[in-house]
Amino acid sequence: MSPPSRRLQTKPVITCLKTFLISYSLIFWFTGVILLAVGVWGKVSLEAYFSLASEESTNAPYVLIGTGAIIVIFGLFGCFATCRGSPWMLKLYAMFLTLVFLAELVAGVSGFIFRHEIKAKLGVAYENAVKTYNSTDSSSSSSMALYCCGVNNYTDWGDTDYFKEKGVPTSCCIDSDKCQPEVLKDIVTAGTEVYTVGCFARVTHVMESNLGIIAGISFGIAFFQLIGIFLSCCLSRYITNNQYEMV
């Protein structure tokens, strides 16, 4: 058995580590709540942006919601493991934080490296959506919600079969009550009655203007996991050593 003075020196360290780790776990839990909120917001507010480029809705909001829910659960688990002072629970918590760190790092680096390819594919998808457009497409309501028209601008409709038959879609009209069929069939005069900014241009502008903020937050959260991993491993080691010292 180790001297009592040795155990008395270890206990304040364990208490200090527990305090820091509980504080960390609460912050980690809060980030999960934020991801949940962003996922729900993305599903509600940004669905129109992606429905223009694809007939199928994006899974990105669901990924955020699922990730946020998992982080919330493990954040609570981290608090419970810390309060219990269980070494195996703390090691499990550290393993989870390591997986989260690696996943966020890979996702962030991949998104940055392939950002131009993603943008190019999105542009092609928008061009195809305009070329194959018909009046029953769901993208009509999306255009009105986004206040945009065409790919880069409203004149993109001039080369489509739809324009030759019906002109610029009424979904591009600023005020549908004032849009006359003869005006929409003239690509020049239509510019006074429809939104002139293209939907692809608007979407990429929104994404690129927030890319720096999103990347900064993502990498900040990713490296934030390293603090939790360090605290969990240290606390687990100190508790284990303290148990051996008491034998």
Side-chain angles (χ1 to χ4, degrees):
M1 180 181 292
S2 298
S5 59
R6 177 78 175 273
R7 295 200 303 272
L8 289 174
Q9 291 174 358
T10 306
K11 286 191 68 176
V13 176
I14 292 176
T15 302
C16 184
L17 286 172
K18 279 187 174 182
T19 302
F20 280 121
L21 189 55
I22 288 176
S23 301
Y24 170 87
S25 297
L26 289 174
I27 296 173
F28 185 58
W29 173 85
F30 186 67
T31 61
V33 173
I34 292 175
L35 285 177
L36 270 173
V38 171
V40 173
W41 171 78
K43 177 62 180 174
V44 173
S45 304
L46 300 181
E47 187 70 16
Y49 282 76
F50 298 100
S51 63
L52 279 171
S54 175
E55 294 181 357
E56 299 179 358
S57 59
T58 178
N59 292 322
Y62 296 110
V63 172
L64 287 175
I65 292 171
T67 303
I70 294 173
I71 289 177
V72 166
I73 293 171
F74 270 88
L76 295 175
F77 176 80
C79 291
F80 177 75
T82 305
C83 294
R84 283 289 303 272
S86 172
W88 74 267
M89 284 186 176
L90 290 169
K91 289 177 182 177
L92 181 62
Y93 186 44
M95 288 176 59
F96 170 75
L97 292 176
T98 303
L99 291 175
V100 172
F101 169 74
L102 293 175
E104 290 177 344
L105 196 62
V106 170
V109 172
S110 299
F112 180 78
I113 293 176
F114 297 107
R115 66 189 185 281
H116 297 300
E117 287 84 350
I118 294 172
K119 182 178 178 180
K121 288 182 179 180
L122 190 62
V124 172
Y126 270 74
E127 290 175 0
N128 292 334
V130 168
K131 290 177 181 178
T132 59
Y133 175 84
N134 60 72
S135 58
T136 60
D137 282 346
S138 60
S139 58
S140 60
S141 59
S142 301
S143 296
M144 291 186 283
L146 298 173
Y147 309 111
C148 59
C149 185
V151 181
N152 296 302
N153 57 64
Y154 82 100
T155 59
D156 294 324
W157 288 104
D159 298 325
T160 63
D161 294 333
Y162 183 89
F163 177 80
K164 296 174 183 177
E165 182 181 351
K166 299 181 179 179
V168 179
T170 55
S171 60
C172 291
C173 294
I174 299 174
D175 187 349
S176 57
D177 295 332
K178 295 181 180 179
C179 273
Q180 302 298 324
E182 57 273 14
V183 174
L184 294 177
K185 290 182 179 181
D186 188 327
I187 199 67
V188 177
T189 56
T192 60
E193 300 293 337
V194 301
Y195 297 109
T196 56
V197 179
C199 294
F200 175 68
R202 185 175 293 280
V203 169
T204 52
H205 173 73
V206 171
M207 294 174 67
E208 290 174 351
S209 61
N210 294 290
L211 187 61
I213 297 174
I214 295 172
I217 293 174
S218 299
F219 280 103
I221 293 175
F223 284 99
F224 181 66
Q225 317 308 328
L226 294 177
I227 300 174
I229 295 169
F230 174 77
L231 290 173
S232 299
C233 292
C234 285
L235 181 57
S236 175
R237 181 179 178 183
Y238 268 100
I239 291 174
T240 302
N241 290 341
N242 189 56
Q243 290 174 345
Y244 280 123
E245 288 171 3
M246 293 178 65
V247 176

